[in-house]
Amino acid sequence: MDSGLTMQLPFIEPFDLVSTLESGQAHRWRKESHWYVGVIRGNLIKIKQGKFSVTFHSAPATEESIIPLISNYFRLEENLETIYMEINKDFHVASMIERYRGMRILCQEPWECMVAFICSANSNISRIGATMETLSEHFGKPITLDGITRYSFPNPYQLASATEAELRRLGLGFRAPYVAYATKAVAEGSLELETLRNFTYQEAKAKLMQISGIGPKIADCILIFSLDKLEAFPIDVWVRRALTEWYFEGRKVRDDILLQWAQQYFGPYAGYAQQYLFHGRRLQK
DNA sequence: GGTGCACCTGTTAC
DNA sequence: AGTAACAGGTGCA
């Protein structure tokens, strides 16, 4: 029953599965005994990290066939040590790197990532996950693995069958019209998310912010967590606290100024610095 | 061009 | 148990 495929650690060092999955990037991973269970692009995945290896099971795709997808999702080909050297500008970052060594930025499916972060506005981690699960159960397709059943995240056409009123009933609140509108834009082809990968950071961000419900913070989340823009630097309440307390002597500084400063200070991998500062500052509350 | 406030409603904090 | 404040922001006055 536990005869899954094993990946050896040397291949992916450093790697911290728990920090990666519990740092607020993805919202559908659930702990089931010693496994993390979630869905990646229509595949139900069980994954756990031992001392020397990472083990996973999958369905419907076989473990062997899904290695490239897993590798892409966790950015295993990325050299973290190089990135650490780039962003390690001071003892604040250094201590977070030391504490969460191996935490990786995920590469998620842009469409799902966009919906999740539109739903994140003025909400909380727990509720965002519940919302994503509700959408999946209502509009996705069931997938079963080792007796566990979860649902795929609905594609744009599946979710387009939901009316704004229905989304409100499912608990999206004031975000319902935003999700409905963004879904329509993707389903109709006026917003081509995958194309944004070829845009510059600024161009892609401007394009995303044309969508009602997507402001600078949510645009940056979509860009860093699904579109390979590692210079994106989402400024939420925790990052704002970390930056102003640690770098601006507690002064009140506008977000656009903070963003400009952070990208200049941390460089092309600023987004990685953001993730470590965010995670560290949020857990120390 | 910058600032302040309402927004749905589930969680969390007394 | 019951109530109030808050929550991974954004759009609009």
Side-chain angles (χ1 to χ4, degrees), chain A residues 170-189:
Chain A
L170 292 176
L172 298 221
F174 66 82
R175 308 157 197 85
Y178 299 152
V179 170
Y181 173 77
T183 299
K184 202 175 163 196
V186 174
E188 286 176 348

PDB file of all heavy atoms in Angstrom, chain A residues 170-189:
ATOM      1  N   LEU A 170     -21.830  30.409  -1.939  1.00  0.00           N
ATOM      2  CA  LEU A 170     -20.776  29.485  -1.519  1.00  0.00           C
ATOM      3  C   LEU A 170     -19.768  30.157  -0.588  1.00  0.00           C
ATOM      4  O   LEU A 170     -18.780  29.557  -0.197  1.00  0.00           O
ATOM      5  CB  LEU A 170     -20.056  28.915  -2.743  1.00  0.00           C
ATOM      6  CG  LEU A 170     -20.918  27.977  -3.607  1.00  0.00           C
ATOM      7  CD1 LEU A 170     -20.160  27.538  -4.858  1.00  0.00           C
ATOM      8  CD2 LEU A 170     -21.364  26.762  -2.804  1.00  0.00           C
ATOM      9  N   GLY A 171     -20.023  31.424  -0.247  1.00  0.00           N
ATOM     10  CA  GLY A 171     -19.202  32.069   0.773  1.00  0.00           C
ATOM     11  C   GLY A 171     -18.102  32.990   0.284  1.00  0.00           C
ATOM     12  O   GLY A 171     -17.248  33.397   1.055  1.00  0.00           O
ATOM     13  N   LEU A 172     -18.092  33.335  -1.022  1.00  0.00           N
ATOM     14  CA  LEU A 172     -17.024  34.210  -1.519  1.00  0.00           C
ATOM     15  C   LEU A 172     -17.214  35.665  -1.126  1.00  0.00           C
ATOM     16  O   LEU A 172     -16.288  36.468  -1.230  1.00  0.00           O
ATOM     17  CB  LEU A 172     -16.916  34.124  -3.052  1.00  0.00           C
ATOM     18  CG  LEU A 172     -16.578  32.819  -3.757  1.00  0.00           C
ATOM     19  CD1 LEU A 172     -15.625  33.060  -4.890  1.00  0.00           C
ATOM     20  CD2 LEU A 172     -16.078  31.735  -2.856  1.00  0.00           C
ATOM     21  N   GLY A 173     -18.443  36.018  -0.728  1.00  0.00           N
ATOM     22  CA  GLY A 173     -18.694  37.397  -0.299  1.00  0.00           C
ATOM     23  C   GLY A 173     -18.485  38.403  -1.424  1.00  0.00           C
ATOM     24  O   GLY A 173     -18.804  38.134  -2.578  1.00  0.00           O
ATOM     25  N   PHE A 174     -17.880  39.537  -1.081  1.00  0.00           N
ATOM     26  CA  PHE A 174     -17.699  40.605  -2.078  1.00  0.00           C
ATOM     27  C   PHE A 174     -16.722  40.220  -3.181  1.00  0.00           C
ATOM     28  O   PHE A 174     -16.595  40.923  -4.176  1.00  0.00           O
ATOM     29  CB  PHE A 174     -17.245  41.904  -1.397  1.00  0.00           C
ATOM     30  CG  PHE A 174     -15.884  41.831  -0.770  1.00  0.00           C
ATOM     31  CD1 PHE A 174     -14.736  41.996  -1.544  1.00  0.00           C
ATOM     32  CD2 PHE A 174     -15.731  41.582   0.593  1.00  0.00           C
ATOM     33  CE1 PHE A 174     -13.471  41.939  -0.968  1.00  0.00           C
ATOM     34  CE2 PHE A 174     -14.469  41.524   1.170  1.00  0.00           C
ATOM     35  CZ  PHE A 174     -13.341  41.694   0.393  1.00  0.00           C
ATOM     36  N   ARG A 175     -16.020  39.064  -3.018  1.00  0.00           N
ATOM     37  CA  ARG A 175     -15.087  38.623  -4.059  1.00  0.00           C
ATOM     38  C   ARG A 175     -15.790  37.900  -5.201  1.00  0.00           C
ATOM     39  O   ARG A 175     -15.200  37.662  -6.249  1.00  0.00           O
ATOM     40  CB  ARG A 175     -14.025  37.699  -3.444  1.00  0.00           C
ATOM     41  CG  ARG A 175     -13.330  38.300  -2.235  1.00  0.00           C
ATOM     42  CD  ARG A 175     -12.731  37.257  -1.334  1.00  0.00           C
ATOM     43  NE  ARG A 175     -12.431  37.800  -0.006  1.00  0.00           N
ATOM     44  CZ  ARG A 175     -13.313  37.873   0.980  1.00  0.00           C
ATOM     45  NH1 ARG A 175     -14.551  37.414   0.798  1.00  0.00           N
ATOM     46  NH2 ARG A 175     -12.989  38.406   2.127  1.00  0.00           N
ATOM     47  N   ALA A 176     -17.059  37.545  -4.991  1.00  0.00           N
ATOM     48  CA  ALA A 176     -17.812  36.782  -6.003  1.00  0.00           C
ATOM     49  C   ALA A 176     -17.813  37.446  -7.380  1.00  0.00           C
ATOM     50  O   ALA A 176     -17.492  36.798  -8.380  1.00  0.00           O
ATOM     51  CB  ALA A 176     -19.237  36.519  -5.515  1.00  0.00           C
ATOM     52  N   PRO A 177     -18.165  38.741  -7.483  1.00  0.00           N
ATOM     53  CA  PRO A 177     -18.147  39.364  -8.822  1.00  0.00           C
ATOM     54  C   PRO A 177     -16.746  39.402  -9.427  1.00  0.00           C
ATOM     55  O   PRO A 177     -16.595  39.269 -10.649  1.00  0.00           O
ATOM     56  CB  PRO A 177     -18.679  40.781  -8.556  1.00  0.00           C
ATOM     57  CG  PRO A 177     -18.550  40.996  -7.082  1.00  0.00           C
ATOM     58  CD  PRO A 177     -18.687  39.646  -6.450  1.00  0.00           C
ATOM     59  N   TYR A 178     -15.709  39.552  -8.593  1.00  0.00           N
ATOM     60  CA  TYR A 178     -14.343  39.564  -9.106  1.00  0.00           C
ATOM     61  C   TYR A 178     -13.995  38.213  -9.733  1.00  0.00           C
ATOM     62  O   TYR A 178     -13.437  38.138 -10.824  1.00  0.00           O
ATOM     63  CB  TYR A 178     -13.340  39.861  -7.983  1.00  0.00           C
ATOM     64  CG  TYR A 178     -13.506  41.205  -7.302  1.00  0.00           C
ATOM     65  CD1 TYR A 178     -13.124  41.381  -5.977  1.00  0.00           C
ATOM     66  CD2 TYR A 178     -14.036  42.296  -7.995  1.00  0.00           C
ATOM     67  CE1 TYR A 178     -13.251  42.608  -5.343  1.00  0.00           C
ATOM     68  CE2 TYR A 178     -14.173  43.526  -7.367  1.00  0.00           C
ATOM     69  CZ  TYR A 178     -13.785  43.678  -6.039  1.00  0.00           C
ATOM     70  OH  TYR A 178     -13.903  44.885  -5.419  1.00  0.00           O
ATOM     71  N   VAL A 179     -14.310  37.135  -9.020  1.00  0.00           N
ATOM     72  CA  VAL A 179     -14.008  35.796  -9.530  1.00  0.00           C
ATOM     73  C   VAL A 179     -14.814  35.521 -10.798  1.00  0.00           C
ATOM     74  O   VAL A 179     -14.285  34.998 -11.783  1.00  0.00           O
ATOM     75  CB  VAL A 179     -14.285  34.714  -8.461  1.00  0.00           C
ATOM     76  CG1 VAL A 179     -14.205  33.320  -9.067  1.00  0.00           C
ATOM     77  CG2 VAL A 179     -13.295  34.842  -7.304  1.00  0.00           C
ATOM     78  N   ALA A 180     -16.092  35.894 -10.771  1.00  0.00           N
ATOM     79  CA  ALA A 180     -16.950  35.659 -11.940  1.00  0.00           C
ATOM     80  C   ALA A 180     -16.397  36.382 -13.168  1.00  0.00           C
ATOM     81  O   ALA A 180     -16.296  35.816 -14.258  1.00  0.00           O
ATOM     82  CB  ALA A 180     -18.381  36.112 -11.634  1.00  0.00           C
ATOM     83  N   TYR A 181     -15.980  37.630 -12.973  1.00  0.00           N
ATOM     84  CA  TYR A 181     -15.468  38.439 -14.076  1.00  0.00           C
ATOM     85  C   TYR A 181     -14.147  37.885 -14.606  1.00  0.00           C
ATOM     86  O   TYR A 181     -13.941  37.737 -15.820  1.00  0.00           O
ATOM     87  CB  TYR A 181     -15.291  39.887 -13.606  1.00  0.00           C
ATOM     88  CG  TYR A 181     -14.613  40.776 -14.602  1.00  0.00           C
ATOM     89  CD1 TYR A 181     -15.304  41.280 -15.711  1.00  0.00           C
ATOM     90  CD2 TYR A 181     -13.257  41.103 -14.458  1.00  0.00           C
ATOM     91  CE1 TYR A 181     -14.670  42.093 -16.637  1.00  0.00           C
ATOM     92  CE2 TYR A 181     -12.614  41.911 -15.374  1.00  0.00           C
ATOM     93  CZ  TYR A 181     -13.323  42.404 -16.463  1.00  0.00           C
ATOM     94  OH  TYR A 181     -12.686  43.194 -17.374  1.00  0.00           O
ATOM     95  N   ALA A 182     -13.234  37.545 -13.682  1.00  0.00           N
ATOM     96  CA  ALA A 182     -11.922  37.015 -14.094  1.00  0.00           C
ATOM     97  C   ALA A 182     -12.083  35.677 -14.812  1.00  0.00           C
ATOM     98  O   ALA A 182     -11.389  35.388 -15.786  1.00  0.00           O
ATOM     99  CB  ALA A 182     -11.016  36.860 -12.871  1.00  0.00           C
ATOM    100  N   THR A 183     -13.006  34.860 -14.325  1.00  0.00           N
ATOM    101  CA  THR A 183     -13.272  33.566 -14.957  1.00  0.00           C
ATOM    102  C   THR A 183     -13.743  33.755 -16.387  1.00  0.00           C
ATOM    103  O   THR A 183     -13.292  33.082 -17.313  1.00  0.00           O
ATOM    104  CB  THR A 183     -14.347  32.801 -14.159  1.00  0.00           C
ATOM    105  OG1 THR A 183     -13.865  32.568 -12.835  1.00  0.00           O
ATOM    106  CG2 THR A 183     -14.666  31.469 -14.820  1.00  0.00           C
ATOM    107  N   LYS A 184     -14.640  34.712 -16.556  1.00  0.00           N
ATOM    108  CA  LYS A 184     -15.166  35.001 -17.887  1.00  0.00           C
ATOM    109  C   LYS A 184     -14.037  35.463 -18.820  1.00  0.00           C
ATOM    110  O   LYS A 184     -13.944  35.029 -19.965  1.00  0.00           O
ATOM    111  CB  LYS A 184     -16.234  36.095 -17.772  1.00  0.00           C
ATOM    112  CG  LYS A 184     -17.204  36.134 -18.910  1.00  0.00           C
ATOM    113  CD  LYS A 184     -18.301  37.160 -18.643  1.00  0.00           C
ATOM    114  CE  LYS A 184     -19.024  37.511 -19.938  1.00  0.00           C
ATOM    115  NZ  LYS A 184     -19.812  38.738 -19.819  1.00  0.00           N
ATOM    116  N   ALA A 185     -13.168  36.322 -18.284  1.00  0.00           N
ATOM    117  CA  ALA A 185     -12.060  36.844 -19.097  1.00  0.00           C
ATOM    118  C   ALA A 185     -11.148  35.709 -19.574  1.00  0.00           C
ATOM    119  O   ALA A 185     -10.710  35.702 -20.724  1.00  0.00           O
ATOM    120  CB  ALA A 185     -11.260  37.863 -18.288  1.00  0.00           C
ATOM    121  N   VAL A 186     -10.880  34.742 -18.703  1.00  0.00           N
ATOM    122  CA  VAL A 186     -10.009  33.627 -19.083  1.00  0.00           C
ATOM    123  C   VAL A 186     -10.731  32.676 -20.028  1.00  0.00           C
ATOM    124  O   VAL A 186     -10.185  32.244 -21.045  1.00  0.00           O
ATOM    125  CB  VAL A 186      -9.511  32.865 -17.829  1.00  0.00           C
ATOM    126  CG1 VAL A 186      -8.720  31.625 -18.238  1.00  0.00           C
ATOM    127  CG2 VAL A 186      -8.657  33.780 -16.963  1.00  0.00           C
ATOM    128  N   ALA A 187     -12.000  32.370 -19.711  1.00  0.00           N
ATOM    129  CA  ALA A 187     -12.765  31.434 -20.545  1.00  0.00           C
ATOM    130  C   ALA A 187     -12.967  31.985 -21.961  1.00  0.00           C
ATOM    131  O   ALA A 187     -12.927  31.244 -22.937  1.00  0.00           O
ATOM    132  CB  ALA A 187     -14.114  31.136 -19.883  1.00  0.00           C
ATOM    133  N   GLU A 188     -13.154  33.290 -22.062  1.00  0.00           N
ATOM    134  CA  GLU A 188     -13.386  33.908 -23.378  1.00  0.00           C
ATOM    135  C   GLU A 188     -12.101  34.177 -24.138  1.00  0.00           C
ATOM    136  O   GLU A 188     -12.122  34.510 -25.320  1.00  0.00           O
ATOM    137  CB  GLU A 188     -14.130  35.237 -23.207  1.00  0.00           C
ATOM    138  CG  GLU A 188     -15.594  35.071 -22.852  1.00  0.00           C
ATOM    139  CD  GLU A 188     -16.259  36.422 -22.598  1.00  0.00           C
ATOM    140  OE1 GLU A 188     -15.526  37.431 -22.487  1.00  0.00           O
ATOM    141  OE2 GLU A 188     -17.494  36.448 -22.504  1.00  0.00           O
ATOM    142  N   GLY A 189     -10.970  34.094 -23.421  1.00  0.00           N
ATOM    143  CA  GLY A 189      -9.689  34.272 -24.094  1.00  0.00           C
ATOM    144  C   GLY A 189      -9.152  35.699 -24.089  1.00  0.00           C
ATOM    145  O   GLY A 189      -8.097  35.971 -24.659  1.00  0.00           O
TER     146      GLY A 189
END
